Amino acid sequence: MNQSQILRLQERVGTTPDGFWGPASIEACQRHLRDMMPSPHPFPVEGTQDFLDFFGPHGVEGGYTPPGRTFNLPFRLYLYGDTNQPVTRLSCHENCADSLLAVFERLAAVFPNEQDRKAAGILDYFGLYNPRLKRNSTTSWSMHSWMNAIDFNANKNGNKTAWPVTATMPIEVMECFAQEGWLAAGAFWGRDAMHFQATAPR
Ligand SMILES: [Zn+2]
């Protein structure tokens, strides 16, 4: 984000708009999103027994697949931003599929036309289910292995790209997810802003 976008973001999350994204801004942003989440929170915390009780085992390539449910999207996405690869339906873990559809309905309301959605980066779909280990881990499974995480606009919101100073994911997108209880990686771990997952904050 550029300086004026950072200032607007700071105003929106209720911290001093000084253009410096430091600990006070990070805390204010996380609080802003937490305050929007449903109570009680609909999802468990990652890495807990509650999580395994709720979502079951992770998927394995060529083996177990978590129970998914497919739904029609309120607007068309494009796989990897490629207009030759439109996506009109998604499959998500059955315990968060209604929730993800509700997120998309919120996104459709906040970004009512195609141009706004394109600018927000939410048309550029980078995947949901992918049974694999986390990057740089030999033991810890990616949330994508449970079919409860989704990525958008990876080109501008990379795994190691700092949000919001370099990455571009808008706070308004994170708010739509937060209102249904989903965590925005950019806000909660300061990078990987493409990524949203159906877990409660720690
Ligand atoms: Zn992801």
Side-chain angles (χ1 to χ4, degrees):
M1 290 189 193
N2 63 34
Q3 190 71 359
S4 69
Q5 290 170 321
I6 301 264
L7 291 169
R8 275 206 303 278
L9 170 59
Q10 288 180 313
E11 279 180 26
R12 192 168 180 99
V13 303
T15 192
T16 312
D18 60 3
F20 172 68
W21 194 261
S25 295
I26 292 166
E27 202 211 319
C29 184
Q30 292 179 2
R31 188 172 54 238
H32 173 76
L33 293 172
R34 278 173 190 263
D35 286 351
M36 293 183 167
M37 291 178 182
S39 182
H41 200 286
F43 304 120
V45 173
E46 180 181 349
T48 61
Q49 187 59 46
D50 282 351
F51 177 91
L52 294 174
D53 293 344
F54 187 85
F55 284 114
H58 62 76
V60 176
E61 183 82 63
Y64 175 75
T65 303
R69 189 187 304 152
T70 302
F71 58 86
N72 293 319
L73 288 161
F75 54 88
R76 181 175 302 197
L77 311 180
Y78 299 100
L79 185 62
Y80 312 129
D82 178 357
T83 53
N84 292 318
Q85 298 192 69
V87 176
T88 60
R89 295 149 66 80
L90 287 180
S91 294
C92 181
H93 193 293
E94 64 181 7
N95 290 349
C96 57
D98 290 346
S99 174
L100 185 57
L101 174 56
V103 170
F104 274 99
E105 284 166 348
R106 289 181 183 277
L107 290 169
V110 171
F111 302 99
N113 62 61
E114 173 100 357
Q115 199 182 330
D116 295 336
R117 297 195 279 265
K118 178 71 189 162
I122 53 171
L123 297 186
D124 299 345
Y125 168 63
F126 276 73
L128 197 159
Y129 180 55
N130 184 7
R132 61 166 174 81
L133 292 166
K134 285 189 176 180
R135 304 194 194 287
N136 308 315
S137 174
T138 54
T139 53
S140 183
W141 286 80
S142 163
M143 285 297 104
H144 292 282
S145 309
W146 277 273
M147 219 181 276
N148 68 350
I150 185 168
D151 294 335
F152 297 96
N153 198 12
N155 295 334
K156 292 185 175 171
N157 297 277
N159 184 260
K160 292 178 179 167
T161 307
W163 185 89
V165 173
T166 309
T168 60
M169 187 60 67
I171 187 73
E172 291 84 355
V173 174
M174 296 180 172
E175 290 167 359
C176 290
F177 276 93
Q179 285 163 341
E180 299 299 330
W182 290 58
L183 275 188
F188 284 88
W189 44 96
R191 57 178 187 80
D192 200 16
M194 72 176 90
H195 178 92
F196 298 85
Q197 65 182 52
T199 64
R202 285 176 195 281

